[in-house]
Amino acid sequence: MEIQSIGVIGAGQMGNGIAHVMAVAGYDVVMTDISQEALDAAVARIGKNLGRQVSKGTLSAADQAAALARIRTTLETAEVAQTDLVIEAATEREEIKQKIFDGLLPHLKPNTILTSNTSSISITRLASRTDRPEKFMGFHFMNPVPVMQLVELIRGIATDKDTYDACLGVVERLGKTAASAEDFPAFIVNRILMPMINEAVYTLYEGVGNVTSIDKAMKLGTNHPMGPLELADFIGLDTCLAIMNVLHDGLADTKYRPCPLLTKYVEAGWLGRKTKRGFYDYRGETPVPTR
């Protein structure tokens, strides 16, 4: 089927980034969240990020205006359900995602494709609770969406070829690259990345190095653009912990056991950049290590 309209559920960091790139690529976008304030903030963020592209010369002012005009916001789930492709980009908690899909089902068009931007949760399990497991798949963007070139496409056990091909076509129209992943816990990127971050937290927990030395070692010693603890703060420590729990529960291997220090930071509400404190304190002009 030809995809012309995109529904985005969730207007946070990932959702507004997805809406941004879809609108620039010429798709009509309907975005929803639980409050109008969240939607207004997302549209403002998209406008700011589009403006940054204009100032860099990668986008014209006319294209910026056209992209913004293609984005519509709503608090009504039924309106999002009437699009050709729905991308759920809510919090990384399965019960929340399931509730969202349950709310969509009565309003969907017969051919609407359902997808989730989940970074770790079983696509097969999410799909099995809908009326269209063959038209359901994982559509996992990397953060920040406008900048990162990769999209993981994850087929559930029932996902059909037409659904995969339609989503692949969207990725190509965005000018991004797709990596096809099988539906196992955390897929490809986070299956490799999160244990590395978790091991960095263990290295901190055991006193092998402090925050500065660990991040400096990985940036200069392995040419990573960000250190693992800095990256964890950027992703969100709650998200890192959620993915490690999915890996630990889904694969039943102790090598995926979340570090107790990561759990402690999340319990404290120190989730990284979004709460101004994580492995670094972001409340001043320059981030300061918290350990």
Side-chain angles (χ1 to χ4, degrees):
M1 65 175 293
E2 185 181 355
I3 306 293
Q4 295 179 323
S5 57
I6 308 284
V8 179
I9 301 176
Q13 194 170 35
M14 296 304 294
N16 74 61
I18 293 168
H20 172 148
V21 298
M22 292 295 179
V24 169
Y27 292 105
D28 294 321
V29 178
V30 183
M31 181 168 56
T32 190
D33 207 302
I34 57 173
S35 72
Q36 190 60 49
E37 290 79 11
L39 291 170
D40 292 343
V43 172
R45 171 63 63 182
I46 292 168
K48 183 178 180 180
N49 288 338
L50 287 168
R52 188 175 290 125
Q53 288 180 290
V54 172
S55 67
K56 290 180 179 177
T58 58
L59 196 71
S60 71
D63 287 340
Q64 176 189 21
L68 281 171
R70 292 188 193 104
I71 299 172
R72 183 164 61 88
T73 64
T74 180
L75 295 173
E76 300 299 323
T77 302
E79 293 184 47
V80 178
Q82 289 298 299
T83 57
D84 299 326
L85 168 65
V86 175
I87 303 173
E88 170 274 314
T91 304
E92 190 70 356
R93 286 171 54 192
E94 187 166 349
E95 64 271 20
I96 291 175
K97 295 180 184 295
Q98 193 56 61
K99 186 177 179 181
I100 288 168
F101 289 121
D102 289 346
L104 284 171
L105 292 182
H107 310 289
L108 292 170
K109 297 192 300 183
N111 290 324
T112 297
I113 293 173
L114 292 178
T115 67
S116 176
N117 183 57
T118 179
S119 51
S120 61
I121 297 168
S122 168
I123 298 302
T124 298
R125 192 165 61 241
L126 287 172
S128 71
R129 297 168 187 166
T130 73
D131 64 351
R132 60 194 68 204
E134 73 285 351
K135 291 186 178 299
F136 193 113
M137 67 181 299
F139 209 136
H140 180 215
F141 288 84
M142 306 295 123
N143 185 31
V145 179
V147 175
M148 301 296 280
Q149 291 301 302
L150 183 74
V151 180
E152 282 184 312
L153 292 179
I154 306 103
R155 278 177 280 213
I157 198 167
T159 306
D160 66 23
K161 185 176 186 299
D162 287 345
T163 299
Y164 178 84
D165 288 345
C167 290
L168 178 60
V170 172
V171 174
E172 290 173 344
R173 181 165 160 181
L174 295 177
K176 296 186 183 293
T177 300
S180 181
E182 294 302 313
D183 184 25
F184 292 100
F187 320 129
I188 296 172
V189 172
N190 283 315
R191 172 75 177 265
I192 297 167
L193 174 64
M194 286 302 159
M196 185 197 77
I197 287 175
N198 194 52
E199 195 62 30
V201 183
Y202 266 114
T203 305
L204 178 65
Y205 175 62
E206 294 169 3
V208 179
N210 59 26
V211 168
T212 301
S213 61
I214 292 167
D215 277 353
K216 187 183 295 181
M218 292 304 290
K219 283 195 284 190
L220 301 181
T222 61
N223 208 28
H224 288 194
M226 296 173 74
L229 301 176
E230 181 185 6
L231 180 57
D233 277 357
F234 180 75
I235 294 167
L237 304 193
D238 51 339
T239 300
C240 294
L241 179 60
I243 296 170
M244 286 309 301
N245 281 325
V246 166
L247 281 165
H248 193 229
D249 294 343
L251 298 170
D253 191 323
T254 56
K255 73 179 180 180
Y256 299 115
R257 182 171 66 97
C259 179
L261 183 60
L262 178 60
T263 302
K264 194 61 63 181
Y265 268 74
V266 173
E267 288 174 345
W270 290 20
L271 308 181
R273 285 181 176 270
K274 60 188 173 185
T275 59
K276 303 295 185 185
R277 277 191 290 187
F279 293 113
Y280 292 85
D281 188 325
Y282 300 93
R283 293 174 297 175
E285 286 188 16
T286 305
V288 178
T290 54
R291 278 182 176 258

